[in-house]
Amino acid sequence: MAISRRNLLKTGIAAGAAFSIPSVLRAQTAATEARTVRMSMSGIPSIFDPVITVSQTTTDHAAAIYDTLFALDSKFMPQPQMVGKWGASDDKKTYTFELRDGLGWHDGNSVTAADCVASIRRWGQVDPGGQLIMERASDISKKDDKTFTIALKEPLGLLPNLLANLLYVMREKDADKPATEAVTTNIGSGPFKFNQAAARPGASLTYDRNDKYLPRQEPVDGLAGGKVVKVDRVIWENIGDAQTAIAALQAGEIVFYLTPPADLFPAIESDPNLELQVLYKHGQDFFLRINCLQKPFDNLKARQAMLHLVDQKAFLQILSSNQKYTNTVTSFFGSGNPVSNDENTGWFKKGGDPEKAKQLFKEAGYAGEKVVILQPTDWSDASNTSQLLADALRKIGIDSELAPSDWSGLVARRSNKNAIENGGWSIFITSDTDFARGEPMTTSHLALNGEKAWYGWPQNDEYEALRAKWADVETVDERKALARKMQGIAWDYVPEVLLGQFTAPIARRKTLTGLIGMPDIVPMWNMEKA
Amino acid sequence: MAGYILRRIVSTIAVMALVGIFVFLLLRLAPGDPAAMIAGRSATEEMIAGIREQLGLNDPMPVQFMRWVRDMLGGDFGTSIFAGRPVLELISQRLEPTLSLSILTMILSVTVGVSFGIFAAWRTGGLVDRLLTAFSAFGYSVPVFVIGYFLIYFFAIKTHWLPVQGYVEIERGLGPWFEHLVLPTVALSLGFIAFIARVTRASMLEVLSEDYMRTAAAKGASSYAMLFHHALKNAGVPILTVIGISFAYLIGGVVLTETVFNIPGIGRLVVDAINNRDYPIIQSVLILTSGLYVLINLAVDLAYTLIDPRIRY
């Protein structure tokens, strides 16, 4: 069949019309998109209960829809949030909290003191800070609809700080569930409402502004102050592929991308509409966790050798090709916290000190025992640094071996306390926020309490005695003094070794402003979209 | 015919049972723990232990297996460990994007691929044949993500004609639905077009060299009649076979395309479920897709009888 010019023209017009229809529809929906913020976070949660999991996505979800009794300001000091008036008795053993006016659940009911009591009790079963409160509390009960008290067996100066740490208040009927059974109702009293009807599990989640939310009057300061929502809707898109997420950002389909990989920074920096921004400037501290129960690291000298072996600069080059976003970190309590200090950090040397490490292994009586490093192949940062560590150990004559698996496999194996030949392990690499290192009462891996400790099971009674005091003291200066002593012991004992700090920037369109930079959470209030 | 269908259905059930046992054992024997994945990276042993108990993962393996089989026979495919929602509900939500992408891909691939194949066979050795052969090699060898990124760059970022990513349900309008599927369909189709074109060309060449085709030509049959009435029908069995296999493959595994274009389909559901060790989802999807695979093959086998009366069951 010959193709005539007329047929070609008709086909062209038809094809043009077909392609233009979607564009017209897109233009029609532009008005409703203007006050909608589309974000790509680090995935989207499938567990929505912040008591069940401490994963980043669930915490972000909880921060949006739930409110907190206290919240940390930009200096990490606890400030009242849902709480209005509050105070402690003269003997510091009874705290009374009164809720501020106008707090309401998304289902229309008012927030009551009974909701707060139930929430504290449920959270207190699993959160280390909550567990401490439950240990010290003789009674937690409501006095009236707006007032509740926490009565303590002995004073607990840290109480407001603990209440400010990821305690999201739920309705009493939700909080009455066992701490191991997930709450799925998503009814909070926070600045955003979860839009259940628009949710596409695994694909996208939608949050609408809670028009009835009454923000505090104080200006926003960290997570504290007035949570003022300046957009109508926030949609989290689950974009699994980094290249696609950047393309969507460039095309304006999303305006925020939480985790751009370092190799795509140049593409973002070269686009005049986009910007990289470090929200929390102290980022993540990477560290290697040591199994203190098994050879060779049951020996103090072998653990100390690891401090001298690590060249943080080398590890940081693996964590980010752009050194602008990395820092060395030497304090056991992180680099950006009020209690960070330089006590007992003489081991730090640029480039490490492999000869010293070799000598310490010798003094430890190292006899060729195999060192098994658990390598999570589905987490490139930890996987690549594991390979560098294995190489560094081999170079000083240590028989190191990588045990590759995905993160789930690593988690299954790291609870094994047995020797290597019986499925045990020696080292794994992980990370935590720098902020978490500033709170030894709530951060599991900062405890050195043996069998009860986090994986690796370090034990040092002297350190633990000081850690116990941490909860009692009230001032930052007192905690600073304690931190120096604890750090002196910790870097002699060496439960873990710091590998450096990565301050991962987010990528955003320049039209999105007002982002709050705090650890653990990406708050959605205060943002504005031009 | 009825006996043949019955035998195939019985064998399908047997295959699915074997797949079920294999998948269940494989998942349980592989390292990893959904409770640990739920609890998060910094979780304590107590948190993980509590979740394991809650999920029934501490029960002996035979107990877990029998519970799964019993529930499945009752039509209950379980609840997602992570999402806390019925697995069938999650699968049905993900079915539409995958089916949409698969059907559009098959329509484009079959239309273009068969046309290319016929034309190349008809003009074998000529410039068009050589060009189509080169295209087939290109379509085969270039990974879908390379084509995908290329299309995104030109048609989404540079020109803003089409969206970069995402999926819009068909109920929200044919236009937006189609708009979001154009690029992934084109990216995914190239390989299938190449595959179908090559099989069609080879099959057509074989038929075109048969004596009866020469007879038809000698009797003055038109090119159209020779190609479409005589040759294509007799070359149809292998073409139909590859179309069937391709369709079944598409439904079961368009993971890369779904990832590149951020389409929330079955492929991404399974990948996420594997990463999270969400056993009920993995088991159910594998059982259902293996059943679908067998049924599509049965449909293809039965379709042979329509295009070739010599085939009887």
Side-chain angles (χ1 to χ4, degrees):
Chain A
M1 186 183 72
I3 300 172
S4 69
R5 225 179 307 173
R6 181 179 294 180
N7 279 341
L8 192 65
L9 192 65
K10 279 197 300 194
T11 309
I13 291 169
F19 275 106
S20 68
I21 290 169
S23 305
V24 171
L25 287 167
R26 207 165 3 155
Q28 286 169 349
T29 57
T32 54
E33 285 286 304
R35 285 176 63 82
T36 296
V37 172
R38 291 180 182 270
M39 309 170 79
S40 174
M41 310 294 275
S42 55
I44 58 176
S46 37
I47 296 281
F48 295 94
D49 183 345
V51 171
I52 294 282
T53 174
V54 287
S55 72
Q56 160 101 55
T57 52
T58 303
T59 306
D60 286 335
H61 163 84
I65 70 164
Y66 295 113
D67 212 347
T68 54
L69 294 172
F70 286 80
L72 294 177
D73 64 18
S74 56
K75 295 184 179 65
F76 305 135
M77 298 305 293
Q79 305 295 343
Q81 183 54 244
M82 295 171 78
V83 165
K85 291 182 209 157
W86 70 284
S89 60
D90 290 342
D91 64 357
K92 307 281 186 190
K93 285 188 176 179
T94 304
Y95 282 80
T96 304
F97 305 94
E98 185 184 309
L99 295 175
R100 62 189 170 98
D101 291 331
L103 300 177
W105 296 110
H106 299 158
D107 63 8
N109 293 314
S110 297
V111 177
T112 66
D115 298 317
C116 302
V117 170
S119 296
I120 293 170
R121 288 186 182 282
R122 184 167 185 266
W123 165 82
Q125 292 174 50
V126 292
D127 182 88
Q131 286 170 335
L132 180 63
I133 293 174
M134 299 311 282
E135 276 170 29
R136 295 278 183 98
S138 57
D139 179 55
I140 302 173
S141 58
K142 70 165 191 170
K143 294 297 159 209
D144 56 47
D145 271 358
K146 286 182 65 179
T147 313
F148 67 96
T149 57
I150 298 178
L152 301 164
K153 294 172 210 160
E154 52 188 308
L156 180 59
L158 201 62
L159 185 69
N161 301 61
L162 299 176
L163 293 175
N165 187 39
L166 305 181
L167 163 56
Y168 297 102
V169 177
M170 299 177 177
R171 297 180 302 176
E172 185 180 17
K173 60 181 166 186
D174 293 329
D176 277 346
K177 277 192 168 191
T180 50
E181 188 181 331
V183 171
T184 55
T185 47
N186 292 305
I187 301 290
S189 64
F192 284 90
K193 290 195 284 189
F194 183 65
N195 189 330
Q196 196 85 45
R200 301 284 177 273
S204 71
L205 298 179
T206 299
Y207 300 87
D208 294 328
R209 185 162 62 123
N210 176 12
D211 292 329
K212 293 182 179 163
Y213 183 76
L214 290 178
R216 293 189 72 90
Q217 294 304 306
E218 300 93 330
V220 68
D221 179 19
L223 300 175
K227 296 179 178 178
V228 180
V229 179
K230 300 173 180 175
V231 295
D232 289 340
R233 175 171 279 193
V234 176
I235 299 174
W236 292 1
E237 304 250 18
N238 185 19
I239 304 178
D241 182 73
Q243 186 82 46
T244 307
I246 297 292
L249 196 65
Q250 288 175 318
E253 290 175 26
I254 58 171
V255 293
F256 176 98
Y257 179 29
L258 183 65
T259 52
D263 57 322
L264 293 176
F265 289 174
I268 298 161
E269 284 167 330
S270 65
D271 189 321
N273 298 310
L274 307 184
E275 197 160 70
L276 288 167
Q277 182 182 359
V278 174
L279 289 182
Y280 170 52
K281 65 180 180 177
H282 296 289
Q284 293 279 117
D285 293 342
F286 280 75
F287 60 94
L288 63 86
R289 187 73 177 177
I290 299 172
N291 186 345
C292 302
L293 298 184
Q294 300 299 332
K295 283 185 182 303
F297 297 118
D298 57 344
N299 186 294
L300 184 67
K301 295 270 186 190
R303 294 199 299 274
Q304 289 172 344
M306 296 303 291
L307 272 184
H308 294 275
L309 179 66
V310 166
D311 170 9
Q312 288 199 11
K313 285 280 184 191
F315 280 90
L316 289 171
Q317 274 182 341
I318 287 181
L319 289 171
S320 176
S321 54
N322 190 332
Q323 296 306 292
K324 184 175 154 189
Y325 299 108
T326 63
N327 296 305
T328 54
V329 52
T330 54
S331 174
F332 192 69
F333 297 100
S335 63
N337 297 305
V339 292
S340 303
N341 65 78
D342 61 358
E343 182 74 16
N344 195 13
T345 52
W347 45 267
F348 180 73
K349 186 178 170 185
K350 283 180 184 172
D353 190 352
E355 282 307 312
K356 175 80 174 172
K358 197 173 178 178
Q359 179 206 326
L360 283 166
F361 266 114
K362 197 174 169 187
E363 288 174 23
Y366 177 69
E369 297 94 349
K370 189 169 282 180
V371 169
V372 168
I373 303 164
L374 304 182
Q375 180 195 17
T377 51
D378 54 346
W379 180 17
S380 61
D381 289 338
S383 178
N384 297 340
T385 45
S386 296
Q387 290 185 58
L388 178 63
L389 178 67
D391 187 56
L393 281 164
R394 281 185 208 118
K395 279 181 179 162
I396 60 164
I398 306 300
D399 181 13
S400 66
E401 182 180 290
L402 290 163
S405 71
D406 62 4
W407 179 259
S408 180
L410 184 154
V411 168
R413 186 166 176 182
R414 74 179 175 180
S415 59
N416 189 330
K417 292 180 179 172
N418 295 324
I420 299 296
E421 52 272 24
N422 293 320
W425 56 278
S426 312
I427 291 171
F428 69 87
I429 289 173
T430 186
S431 74
D432 207 346
T433 58
D434 187 77
F435 166 74
R437 297 200 78 92
E439 281 297 341
M441 298 312 294
T442 55
T443 302
S444 307
H445 60 90
L446 297 186
L448 309 187
N449 49 355
E451 289 287 311
K452 288 183 185 169
W454 206 58
Y455 310 95
W457 309 283
Q459 180 160 15
N460 187 291
D461 296 340
E462 193 185 355
Y463 173 94
E464 280 301 300
L466 292 170
R467 196 169 73 93
K469 287 185 185 169
W470 191 277
D472 301 330
V473 298
E474 287 189 19
T475 68
V476 173
D477 285 342
E478 286 173 297
R479 281 191 201 115
K480 280 180 178 173
L482 266 180
R484 289 196 80 85
K485 289 181 193 167
M486 288 164 74
Q487 182 166 306
I489 297 166
W491 284 146
D492 280 341
Y493 183 87
V494 198
E496 55 195 33
V497 175
L498 289 161
L499 304 177
Q501 187 178 81
F502 178 37
T503 54
I506 60 99
R508 63 174 171 86
R509 287 188 75 83
K510 286 179 179 168
T511 50
L512 184 74
T513 54
L515 294 164
I516 296 168
M518 286 292 281
D520 292 323
I521 293 165
V522 180
M524 301 196 294
W525 55 89
N526 204 55
M527 3 184 235
E528 284 182 87
K529 187 184 164 198
Chain B
M1 176 75 94
Y4 174 76
I5 294 173
L6 196 66
R7 280 199 304 280
R8 288 290 297 263
I9 289 171
V10 171
S11 67
T12 300
I13 293 168
V15 167
M16 287 172 69
L18 284 174
V19 168
I21 294 169
F22 179 72
V23 167
F24 184 89
L25 288 176
L26 196 68
L27 286 175
R28 296 313 192 280
L29 295 176
D33 182 354
M37 299 305 287
I38 288 171
R41 197 183 292 160
S42 327
T44 59
E45 283 177 85
E46 293 81 32
M47 281 176 85
I48 296 171
I51 296 170
R52 280 189 67 80
E53 186 63 35
Q54 182 73 29
L55 295 174
L57 294 171
N58 287 335
D59 294 338
M61 223 190 290
V63 173
Q64 291 185 49
F65 181 73
M66 290 313 294
R67 190 165 55 214
W68 174 53
V69 171
R70 186 197 62 209
D71 292 348
M72 205 165 48
L73 290 176
D76 177 6
F77 280 69
T79 302
S80 160
I81 290 174
F82 266 72
R85 297 169 73 164
V87 169
L88 279 186
E89 181 190 319
L90 292 173
I91 292 175
S92 64
Q93 279 178 351
R94 300 302 190 92
L95 207 55
E96 186 194 307
T98 299
L99 273 180
S100 299
L101 181 59
S102 304
I103 290 169
L104 283 183
T105 300
M106 284 319 294
I107 291 171
L108 184 65
S109 306
V110 171
T111 312
V112 179
V114 171
S115 306
F116 277 10
I118 293 171
F119 203 77
W122 184 241
R123 292 281 181 257
T124 182
L127 178 65
V128 174
D129 183 28
R130 288 205 298 274
L131 283 174
L132 290 177
T133 305
F135 169 77
S136 295
F138 173 80
Y140 258 142
S141 52
V142 180
V144 71
F145 66 87
V146 173
I147 298 166
Y149 293 141
F150 177 82
L151 293 173
I152 286 172
Y153 181 74
F154 277 102
F155 295 102
I157 296 176
K158 278 286 167 194
T159 61
H160 292 281
W161 287 354
L162 292 162
V164 171
Q165 51 85 40
Y167 176 77
V168 173
E169 290 91 346
I170 201 163
E171 67 183 28
R172 290 168 60 194
L174 209 56
W177 171 79
F178 184 69
E179 181 186 44
H180 282 81
L181 286 171
V182 172
L183 295 184
T185 300
V186 172
L188 190 55
S189 294
L190 285 186
F192 288 106
I193 289 172
F195 183 38
I196 292 170
R198 287 182 71 157
V199 172
T200 305
R201 180 181 177 277
S203 189
M204 286 291 284
L205 276 178
E206 198 179 323
V207 173
L208 287 172
S209 65
E210 295 282 340
D211 290 344
Y212 69 89
M213 293 303 296
R214 274 195 292 276
T215 306
K219 286 168 74 177
S222 68
S223 301
Y224 181 85
M226 281 183 64
L227 279 175
F228 294 100
H229 287 176
H230 298 295
L232 185 57
K233 208 165 181 184
N234 287 313
V237 169
I239 299 171
L240 195 64
T241 305
V242 298
I243 290 171
I245 291 170
S246 302
F247 191 54
Y249 169 78
L250 272 171
I251 290 173
V254 288
V255 178
L256 257 184
T257 313
E258 287 181 355
T259 303
V260 169
F261 291 97
N262 191 31
I263 296 171
I266 296 284
R268 285 196 61 197
L269 178 72
V270 175
V271 170
D272 289 347
I274 289 169
N275 287 336
N276 291 331
R277 300 293 192 275
D278 201 334
Y279 299 146
I281 290 183
I282 306 170
Q283 288 164 182
S284 303
V285 171
L286 290 179
I287 284 285
L288 292 173
T289 49
S290 62
L292 200 62
Y293 201 92
V294 175
L295 287 176
I296 287 173
N297 276 316
L298 175 62
V300 169
D301 287 350
L302 295 178
Y304 290 161
T305 61
L306 299 177
I307 58 171
D308 189 347
R310 290 171 299 178
I311 298 175
R312 290 176 187 279
Y313 297 114

